[in-house]
Amino acid sequence: MRIEQKDFFMLLSGINQYQIPIYQRNYAWKKDQCQRLLDDIVKAGKPGNPNHYIGSVIVKSEGDMGGVNVYNVIDGQQRTTTITLLLLALTEYWSTRPLASVQSTTAKILENIKQAYLTNVIFSGSSLFTKVLPKSGNDRIEYDNLLHGVIGNGAISANYSFFLHELESKAYNQEEIYNGIKNSQLALVTLDANENPQLLFEAVNDTGVDLTDVDLVRNWIFMGLSGTDQDKLYREYWEPIEKLSLGKTDKLLFYFTQLKSESSKAQHYYNVFKKKFILYAGSAEKVENLLKEIKKYAELYKMYITTSSKNKPLKIILERLINTKKDVFTPLILKILYQLDLNILQQDDAMEMLNYIEAYIVRRDILTIPTNSLGEAMISLLKNCGTLSDFTTEIKKLKDSRRMPDDTEMHTQLQLKDFYNLSGAYGYLERIEKFLNPAFSLDDPTIEHILPETMHTTSFPKKGVSPNNVDDYNWELDLGAEAQAIHDKYQHTIGNLTILPRRENSRMGDLRFEKKQKWSNISSGGFNYGYLYTPIRISQSLGKNAKWDESAILARCAEMVNYICQIWPHP
């Protein structure tokens, strides 16, 4: 390894080419970063100013290729590419302006920037023509077009145009621009072909350079491979992985690392990933096998997050799992789907596992059990999802904060629990209704309190009705002296809730129970929603009650919890 202090003219002189490997990030500098670079260069070019340090560039020697010294840029590609865009803008700027104001030696350099510092002229028409060769793809095409006078619409062209506009609008001193580039010093670190660039790359990027875990993983996978293998595997696997993951490659790799390491402690997952696959480094065959597996998981991840399975029952359960918004279970779900895809699991067993995951989540959500132990529970299930038997056995073993509430706990806790104010309360009631009537559909639905939220009594009579109808709203006539206590205790519990169209809810509202039973208005949809006539299945049993009191509410609570336990079963 050699470390040298150089300016950019020195870096770009000679017959060299600095290649941006295909696995590096696309060129991504923004206008404000270019502005800071230009300001630093102008400042460094003022008379009497000392040299200005602008960072490091790390390259790895790839040897001589047909007379050109080729280097892979390990770190510093954004800055290096940007400097060449400034030089290209200077070439255009100075091509239309007299150079009489600068020294003759400087003028000669400025007249030949493109030939001396941006291109290897004798290799015109070949891939060795440019001194800096951006990564294969859109960046390379746009950069090459720019060198031939064609401005594109990507970041490379945008920053070139920014520099040109700044030079034209502010009339920078030509001598100072040249001196500023010359005085802008960098540390050039050159690795030999047999040295491992990843170690140095990590050391540099541990100092605060904003690289994500997915950047580090991608570089680690490809950095130790030959250029040919890099290109092949990147195109065959990495590009499809990025497309399949729909902009969520970072999440995909996070989940993949969790399921392969069987650890939930992998939020910053690069080091965990590297430790798990350390024996794969530098082996094209092993890396290809790893990328094949990641690609398969990317396909399954896309199917999951878009719920695009062609298998209808599978599609339905995946939609329900997505709707739980419990991403912590994604690694487990992906592993089950992976085993199903490989026929390690039969479809019936895989479906039952997925249903148990939903049941586990829903039961805990309904009882508002804290979620801070879900990661540990997910890993326990992940380790035991090879067979349905192992999976259900492990669910039963989960205790305390990781437990899946059993039927007894559900019945006990829901007798008095505020169900109405649960997140997703209507969705749970609708699911029960669809369990009883799969064809259920209702315009503008809402939750109705059977014993109303606003309860009228003798001391708090209904206002705005005729004296003859006041008793129609007096729940004290049904509940007696305990009316307020019963109301406070049970008003929001699941036993006291049902579903109604919003308009009918506002009409039936705070009527007494008997009046709600016999409500006989026909709705705009052609239905009567009085409890004696209603098409809503979870309300139909209400037509059989002689009155609505504490015992009736508790009986209906038991009925509703029974449905919950059937829909979201415990193993």
Side-chain angles (χ1 to χ4, degrees):
M1 179 173 68
R2 302 189 311 278
I3 303 177
E4 306 167 87
Q5 180 175 322
K6 291 195 174 189
D7 61 53
F8 271 100
F9 285 125
M10 295 170 64
L11 177 72
L12 297 171
S13 63
I15 309 299
N16 302 314
Q17 184 177 74
Y18 298 95
Q19 298 180 351
I20 314 300
I22 194 168
Y23 58 82
Q24 292 275 26
R25 289 185 293 182
N26 290 331
Y27 180 73
W29 265 30
K30 306 294 184 184
K31 175 182 174 181
D32 59 337
Q33 292 163 303
C34 294
Q35 183 67 67
R36 286 197 299 271
L37 178 64
L38 183 57
D39 291 344
D40 287 344
I41 286 173
V42 171
K43 183 178 179 181
K46 298 290 184 183
N49 276 357
N51 291 344
H52 176 68
Y53 176 70
I54 60 172
S56 63
V57 175
I58 302 173
V59 299
K60 180 181 179 183
S61 174
E62 297 296 327
D64 182 286
M65 294 182 65
V68 177
N69 297 312
V70 174
Y71 301 90
N72 266 347
V73 180
I74 306 305
D75 189 64
Q77 62 119 333
Q78 303 281 337
R79 185 182 299 107
T80 302
T81 303
T82 304
I83 283 287
T84 66
L85 297 178
L86 174 58
L87 290 174
L88 190 59
L90 288 170
T91 300
E92 175 64 22
Y93 174 69
W94 280 319
S95 69
T96 59
R97 285 161 178 77
L99 294 169
S101 61
V102 300
Q103 298 177 8
S104 58
T105 54
T106 304
K108 185 175 181 181
I109 291 172
L110 297 178
E111 288 175 333
N112 293 284
I113 282 180
K114 188 172 182 180
Q115 291 77 15
Y117 301 111
L118 297 178
T119 61
N120 296 310
V121 178
I122 61 173
F123 292 94
S124 178
S126 82
S127 61
L128 298 171
F129 177 60
T130 60
K131 298 277 184 148
V132 172
L133 186 67
K135 65 178 288 185
S136 178
N138 292 336
D139 281 358
R140 184 175 297 182
I141 293 170
E142 185 172 9
Y143 189 82
D144 185 67
N145 287 341
L146 200 57
L147 285 175
H148 291 87
V150 179
I151 298 176
N153 55 10
I156 286 175
S157 292
N159 288 344
Y160 163 79
S161 297
F162 165 76
F163 284 133
L164 187 58
H165 176 266
E166 288 293 295
L167 294 170
E168 291 175 340
S169 63
K170 297 183 179 177
Y172 287 96
N173 180 284
Q174 298 156 324
E175 188 87 35
E176 289 179 356
I177 289 283
Y178 166 72
N179 287 332
I181 296 175
K182 196 166 193 248
N183 292 339
S184 296
Q185 302 290 301
L186 59 90
L188 176 64
V189 181
T190 305
L191 302 177
D192 293 332
N194 61 347
E195 291 184 284
N196 184 356
Q198 184 70 14
L199 298 177
L200 186 57
F201 179 79
E202 290 174 20
V204 170
N205 285 285
D206 277 344
T207 62
V209 178
D210 188 20
L211 285 178
T212 65
D213 284 277
V214 70
D215 295 323
L216 293 166
V217 166
R218 182 187 60 242
N219 289 0
W220 181 84
I221 288 173
F222 289 100
M223 196 173 282
L225 304 178
S226 69
T228 301
D229 287 333
Q230 286 176 4
D231 285 348
K232 174 182 178 291
L233 298 180
Y234 189 91
R235 294 186 190 285
E236 287 186 16
Y237 298 103
W238 193 265
E239 285 184 344
I241 287 168
E242 290 187 325
K243 291 177 181 177
L244 287 164
S245 54
L246 305 177
K248 298 181 179 180
T249 310
D250 191 46
K251 280 193 171 184
L252 168 67
L253 289 176
F254 169 54
Y255 297 139
F256 179 79
T257 303
Q258 282 192 316
L259 70 89
K260 297 301 287 187
S261 65
E262 296 184 338
S263 169
S264 62
K265 315 281 188 190
Q267 190 61 50
H268 298 290
Y269 57 85
Y270 167 61
N271 287 326
V272 179
F273 183 97
K274 183 175 67 171
K275 182 179 179 180
K276 178 66 181 177
F277 298 107
I278 191 67
L279 297 179
Y280 289 59
S283 167
E285 181 181 358
K286 290 180 179 179
V287 166
E288 182 169 14
N289 289 334
L290 173 60
L291 290 171
K292 279 181 182 178
E293 187 174 11
I294 296 174
K295 183 183 175 186
K296 172 52 67 175
Y297 273 104
E299 293 169 358
L300 297 171
Y301 182 58
K302 179 182 178 181
M303 181 184 73
Y304 174 49
I305 64 176
T306 62
T307 61
S308 57
S309 173
K310 295 179 181 179
N311 181 315
K312 188 173 181 180
L314 182 59
K315 177 181 174 68
I316 290 171
I317 184 57
L318 293 181
E319 287 175 348
R320 290 172 177 166
L321 287 166
I322 284 288
N323 289 336
T324 67
K325 298 180 180 178
K326 295 294 188 294
D327 291 348
V328 66
F329 285 95
T330 301
L332 172 59
I333 293 165
L334 291 179
K335 186 170 182 180
I336 292 171
L337 294 175
Y338 184 78
Q339 293 179 136
L340 174 61
D341 185 77
L342 295 182
N343 294 317
I344 296 171
L345 284 173
Q346 297 301 308
Q347 178 165 318
D348 288 348
D349 288 353
M351 291 290 293
E352 196 162 349
M353 287 182 181
L354 295 172
N355 280 312
Y356 279 134
I357 294 171
E358 186 204 11
Y360 177 88
I361 293 168
V362 170
R363 285 188 177 221
R364 290 173 59 92
D365 280 354
I366 287 175
L367 298 190
T368 57
I369 298 173
T371 61
N372 55 330
S373 62
L374 288 182
E376 295 175 1
M378 184 277 291
I379 293 299
S380 294
L381 296 173
L382 182 74
K383 292 177 179 179
N384 292 277
C385 66
T387 68
L388 177 60
S389 175
D390 288 346
F391 191 74
T392 55
T393 298
E394 189 61 28
I395 289 177
K396 295 172 186 176
K397 288 181 180 178
L398 297 174
K399 302 298 181 183
D400 302 322
S401 63
R402 299 190 298 163
R403 74 190 184 281
M404 180 178 184
D406 61 17
D407 293 0
T408 300
E409 184 176 0
M410 297 299 291
H411 276 278
T412 302
Q413 294 297 321
L414 285 175
Q415 284 185 354
L416 298 177
K417 184 168 184 60
D418 181 345
F419 193 92
Y420 175 69
N421 289 301
L422 280 178
S423 175
Y426 174 78
Y428 297 134
L429 294 176
E430 182 185 56
R431 182 76 178 276
I432 296 171
E433 180 65 21
K434 287 187 174 181
F435 174 69
L436 300 171
N437 175 20
F440 170 76
S441 178
L442 196 64
D443 292 333
D444 197 20
T446 186
I447 297 176
E448 191 221 4
H449 289 74
I450 301 163
L451 177 61
E453 287 187 274
T454 303
M455 184 185 69
H456 297 287
T457 61
T458 303
S459 60
F460 179 55
K462 175 75 171 179
K463 294 181 179 179
V465 297
S466 69
N468 293 333
N469 293 335
V470 168
D471 284 351
D472 291 348
Y473 300 88
N474 187 350
W475 278 83
E476 197 170 352
L477 298 176
D478 296 326
L479 300 176
E482 298 297 314
Q484 192 60 53
I486 292 172
H487 178 269
D488 293 345
K489 190 174 183 179
Y490 294 110
Q491 64 166 322
H492 293 321
T493 63
I494 191 171
N496 190 53
L497 302 176
T498 189
I499 297 171
L500 270 182
R502 192 175 304 276
R503 185 173 180 180
E504 297 305 307
N505 195 1
S506 65
R507 288 175 172 179
M508 295 169 65
D510 42 8
L511 283 167
R512 285 170 58 193
F513 183 67
E514 182 182 3
K515 296 298 180 181
K516 289 186 177 184
Q517 281 183 311
K518 296 178 180 179
W519 181 261
S520 59
N521 284 12
I522 302 300
S523 71
S524 58
F527 295 105
N528 185 334
Y529 288 97
Y531 300 150
L532 289 170
Y533 321 107
T534 180
I536 295 176
R537 299 292 178 85
I538 61 172
S539 297
Q540 288 177 352
S541 64
L542 300 174
K544 301 173 184 178
N545 288 82
K547 58 182 179 179
W548 196 247
D549 57 10
E550 183 172 23
S551 62
I553 293 171
L554 289 173
R556 186 163 182 278
C557 173
E559 175 191 348
M560 295 293 282
V561 177
N562 279 336
Y563 291 139
I564 287 174
C565 293
Q566 291 177 65
I567 296 167
W568 295 288
H570 193 284

